[in-house]
């Protein structure tokens, strides 16, 4: 592949290059605090801050290529000694320019592209898919939940020039977001993990969520779609649409092309293990991974389906899936005491993932003979139906031995479980945890990421 240089990128974006003509493909960041020597830095204007305020910090940390608005660069003497050896691409709109650079680099490297969306399980399925493929292909995927247009652009620009398969994650909280991403970065195979109540402020209803997720099928290169056959809305829509592409249905019910026959979760001194037996065309396939939760039977199925579509044998795909490492904030099981456990689900929450986490914690605690506790923060972006969904979650906690709730979302949702406590601040909640009573107790920690429950996980495990 011919080197993609900054001068070409500037011309592509209608911008101008200042400084050495260096290659564009490298690690790119939009947070100056994350810059490593040699990285690229894109200055983005957001609601809370402006990346142009941190150009100096990015350079001090070693950034060698900066994408910034021309009007902002005019205020800097970028020909000064402090900027020697640093390259700038001056453009009108940095977000649009970043996407254009990533689109062109993707075209040049030309890997096969798999993209994953859904209300829950996107990141885990992305990680499982990359794991399934890595023993056969040179695979690139995001290092974390880079699932916006900016995030996907950063992921692509960090891709090695010999990448054979790119695995993207596509998130959304408004209509048209996924449509825009697939117009820039069209996948060959798409996965829709689930359609569940999530970002209802933007979508209004489950039907709205379905419509938003289906935007992934607008890819002009789409040849196959993998989807959750046990979701009635999704299964019904797929049964009457997209007959021009290969449809791979994963689920436990009738009509699935990849049927989940059995699934179990174990938790012991060696950590968690989720195993499943899937069946395709009469042949059983055993899958297993070191993740916690029955929902991972589906996620493993999606990853297996993508790997099979891309040409891996059943044995190759299963071996890759088995090698995945637990993911922080998504069911990571940690010790709080010699006989105590913390289930770290602190990354985020919506009603579907919250219910699954509660069920998994209940089953694991009962199998180990320990008490089950839940520390839950509110679920945000649920719109007018927020109170109803929080009320439903409260109803699922009746048999828990202890419940601590954080956030105003829980107020007015009906009576709390006996002994449950409601807190207005994270500091107050942390101060009320009994750190001397963690043995024989399994504690689920889950809530919307903005509540900062990682601090609770840290407090429990450090105790």
């Amino acid at each position: 592949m011919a080197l993609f240089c900054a001068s070409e990128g500037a011309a592509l974006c209608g911008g101008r290059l200042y400084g050495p003509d260096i290659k564009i493909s490298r690690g790119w960041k939009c947070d100056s605090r994350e810059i490593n020597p040699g990285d690229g830095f894109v200055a983005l204007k957001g609601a809370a801050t402006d990346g142009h305020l941190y150009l100096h910090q990015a350079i001090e940390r070693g950034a060698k290529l900066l994408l910034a608005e021309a009007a902002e660069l005019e205020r800097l003497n970028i020909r000064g000694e402090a900027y020697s050896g640093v390259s700038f691409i001056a453009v009108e709109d940095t977000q649009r320019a970043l996407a254009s650079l990533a689109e062109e680099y993707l075209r040049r490297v030309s890997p096969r592209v798999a993209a994953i969306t859904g209300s829950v399980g996107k990141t885990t399925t992305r990680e499982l898919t990359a794991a399934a493929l890595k023993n056969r292909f040179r695979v690139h995927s995001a290092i974390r939940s880079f699932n916006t247009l900016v995030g996907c652009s950063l992921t692509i620009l960090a891709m090695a020039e010999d990448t054979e398969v790119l695995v993207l994650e596509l998130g959304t909280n408004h209509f048209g977001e996924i449509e825009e991403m697939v117009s820039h970065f069209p996948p060959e195979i798409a996965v829709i993990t689930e359609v569940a109540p999530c970002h209802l402020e933007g979508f209004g209803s489950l039907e709205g969520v379905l419509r938003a997720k289906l935007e992934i099928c607008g890819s002009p290169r789409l040849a196959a779609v993998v989807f959750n056959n046990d979701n009635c809305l999704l299964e019904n829509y797929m049964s009457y649409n997209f007959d021009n592409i290969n449809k791979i249905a994963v689920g436990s019910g009738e009509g699935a092309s990849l049927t989940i026959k059995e699934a179990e979760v174990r938790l012991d001194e060696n950590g968690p293990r989720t195993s499943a037996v899937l069946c395709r065309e009469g042949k059983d396939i055993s899958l297993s991974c070191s993740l916690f939760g029955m929902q991972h039977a589906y996620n493993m199925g999606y990853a297996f389906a993508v790997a099979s579509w891309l040409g891996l044998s059943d044995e190759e795909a299963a071996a890759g899936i088995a090698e995945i490492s637990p993911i922080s904030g998504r069911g990571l099981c940690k010790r709080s005491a010699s006989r105590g456990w913390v289930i770290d689900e602190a990354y985020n929450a919506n009603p579907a993932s919250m219910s699954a986490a509660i069920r998994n914690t209940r089953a694991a605690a009962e199998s180990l003979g320990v008490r089950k506790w839940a520390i839950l923060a509110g679920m945000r972006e649920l719109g007018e139906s927020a109170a109803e969904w929080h009320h439903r979650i409260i109803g699922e906690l009746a048999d828990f031995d202890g419940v601590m709730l954080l956030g105003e979302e829980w107020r007015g949702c009906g009576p709390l479980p006996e002994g449950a406590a409601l807190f207005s601040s994270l500091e107050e909640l942390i101060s009320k945890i009994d750190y001397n009573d963690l043995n024989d107790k399994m504690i689920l920690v889950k809530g919307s990421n903005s509540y900062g429950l990682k601090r609770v996980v840290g407090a429990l495990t450090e105790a």
Side-chain angles (χ1 to χ4, degrees):
M1 186 199 80
L3 210 60
F4 187 23
C5 293
S7 58
E8 296 177 278
L12 178 73
C13 301
R16 184 174 179 182
L17 173 66
Y18 299 89
D21 190 11
I22 59 179
K23 71 174 186 176
I24 283 178
S25 56
R26 63 187 60 236
W28 278 81
K29 309 288 169 51
C30 57
D31 186 334
S32 62
R33 295 167 297 184
E34 298 179 355
I35 291 289
N36 294 312
D39 278 350
F41 176 71
V42 54
L44 299 171
K45 290 185 175 180
T49 189
D50 182 351
H52 294 87
L53 300 174
Y54 303 96
L55 292 172
H56 285 291
Q57 288 89 328
I59 293 169
E60 288 172 358
R61 292 184 64 89
K64 288 300 181 184
L65 180 57
L66 293 94
L67 184 62
E69 292 185 5
E72 298 290 342
L73 285 181
E74 288 178 3
R75 301 188 179 98
L76 298 173
N77 179 21
I78 60 175
R79 293 186 176 87
E81 186 176 340
Y83 303 104
S84 176
V86 178
S87 300
F88 293 84
I89 297 178
V91 296
E92 183 176 338
D93 184 319
T94 52
Q95 180 168 314
R96 288 182 181 276
L98 183 72
S100 296
L101 294 176
E103 182 177 358
E104 173 61 15
Y105 185 54
L106 178 63
R107 186 190 68 79
R108 294 189 181 206
V109 177
S110 193
R112 303 181 77 177
V113 180
I116 298 153
T117 192
S119 301
V120 294
K122 293 186 295 296
T123 299
T124 303
T125 300
R126 186 200 74 216
E127 290 293 300
L128 283 163
T129 301
L133 295 169
K134 68 181 181 181
N135 289 331
R136 168 77 76 87
F137 297 113
R138 291 184 290 276
V139 181
H140 181 75
S141 68
I143 58 171
R144 57 178 186 263
S145 293
F146 277 1
N147 58 24
T148 63
L149 180 64
V150 168
C152 288
S153 299
L154 296 174
T155 295
I156 290 167
L157 288 171
M159 173 174 63
E161 296 174 0
D162 62 352
T163 297
E164 295 174 304
V165 178
L166 171 68
V167 184
L168 294 176
E169 175 184 339
L170 310 184
T172 180
N173 59 14
H174 60 268
F175 293 116
E177 189 170 10
I178 291 178
E179 179 182 17
E180 182 178 22
M181 285 187 274
V182 300
S183 71
H184 286 284
F185 320 127
E188 166 190 336
I189 182 167
V191 178
I192 304 176
T193 63
E194 180 63 286
V195 174
C198 184
H199 302 300
L200 292 180
E201 285 181 347
F203 300 133
S205 65
L206 279 176
E207 287 75 16
V209 177
L210 173 67
R211 176 183 148 200
K213 302 304 180 187
L214 287 169
E215 290 177 6
I216 199 171
C217 296
S219 166
R221 297 181 181 173
L222 195 67
V225 59
V226 181
F227 65 95
N228 185 332
N229 194 63
D230 291 342
N231 182 286
C232 294
L233 271 177
L234 190 52
E235 186 277 332
N236 184 63
Y237 191 91
M238 286 294 179
S239 65
Y240 292 103
N241 294 279
F242 304 120
D243 291 335
N244 59 322
I245 60 175
N246 192 284
K247 294 183 282 189
I248 306 169
V250 177
S252 58
E254 293 184 8
S257 43
L258 190 57
T259 305
I260 302 171
K261 292 175 61 176
E262 304 172 16
E264 67 169 356
V265 180
R266 300 192 311 274
L267 181 61
D268 55 31
E269 298 303 321
N270 297 316
R273 198 83 197 164
T274 299
S275 302
V277 176
L278 285 72
C279 182
R280 181 182 57 193
E281 298 178 349
K283 179 184 177 181
D284 284 353
I285 304 143
S286 295
L287 302 176
S288 178
C289 67
S290 58
L291 300 178
F292 176 75
M294 295 291 283
Q295 72 273 16
H296 297 308
Y298 288 86
N299 298 334
M300 288 190 292
Y302 305 140
F304 180 86
V306 173
S308 295
W309 174 262
L310 292 175
L312 271 72
S313 69
D314 295 354
E315 294 74 20
E316 286 177 309
I321 287 169
E323 294 175 7
I324 191 173
S325 299
I327 305 169
S328 178
R330 293 175 168 85
L332 189 60
C333 301
K334 303 179 179 180
R335 281 295 196 184
S336 62
S338 60
R339 280 183 49 80
W341 289 94
V342 177
I343 309 301
D344 176 9
E345 285 271 4
Y347 181 76
N348 222 332
N350 59 44
S353 65
M354 189 76 87
S355 292
I358 290 170
R359 291 193 301 270
N360 291 328
T361 302
R362 177 186 293 112
E366 292 175 355
S367 68
L368 292 175
V370 298
R371 295 167 292 164
K372 49 188 181 291
W373 275 64
I375 299 177
L376 308 179
M379 301 173 289
R380 291 184 165 159
E381 297 186 60
L382 291 177
E384 295 179 356
S385 58
E388 176 188 350
W389 290 112
H390 284 82
H391 174 71
R392 292 189 187 188
I393 294 300
I394 286 173
E396 296 181 32
L397 299 168
D399 63 336
F400 271 57
D401 299 292
V403 177
M404 303 175 79
L405 302 172
L406 174 64
E408 296 303 307
E409 292 91 344
W410 302 106
R411 297 190 189 278
C413 296
L416 300 181
E418 185 177 351
L422 178 59
F423 301 91
S424 297
S425 73
L426 182 61
E427 289 72 19
E428 181 189 10
L429 186 152
I430 289 174
S431 71
K432 295 298 182 181
I433 296 173
D434 186 353
Y435 297 100
N436 295 314
D437 183 31
L438 299 179
N439 257 323
D440 298 307
K441 183 186 288 186
M442 181 174 291
I443 305 175
L444 168 65
V445 182
K446 189 168 181 65
S448 285
N449 194 40
S450 55
Y451 274 106
L453 289 183
K454 292 295 291 183
R455 286 179 56 193
V456 175
V457 173
L460 289 167
T461 53
E462 290 168 13

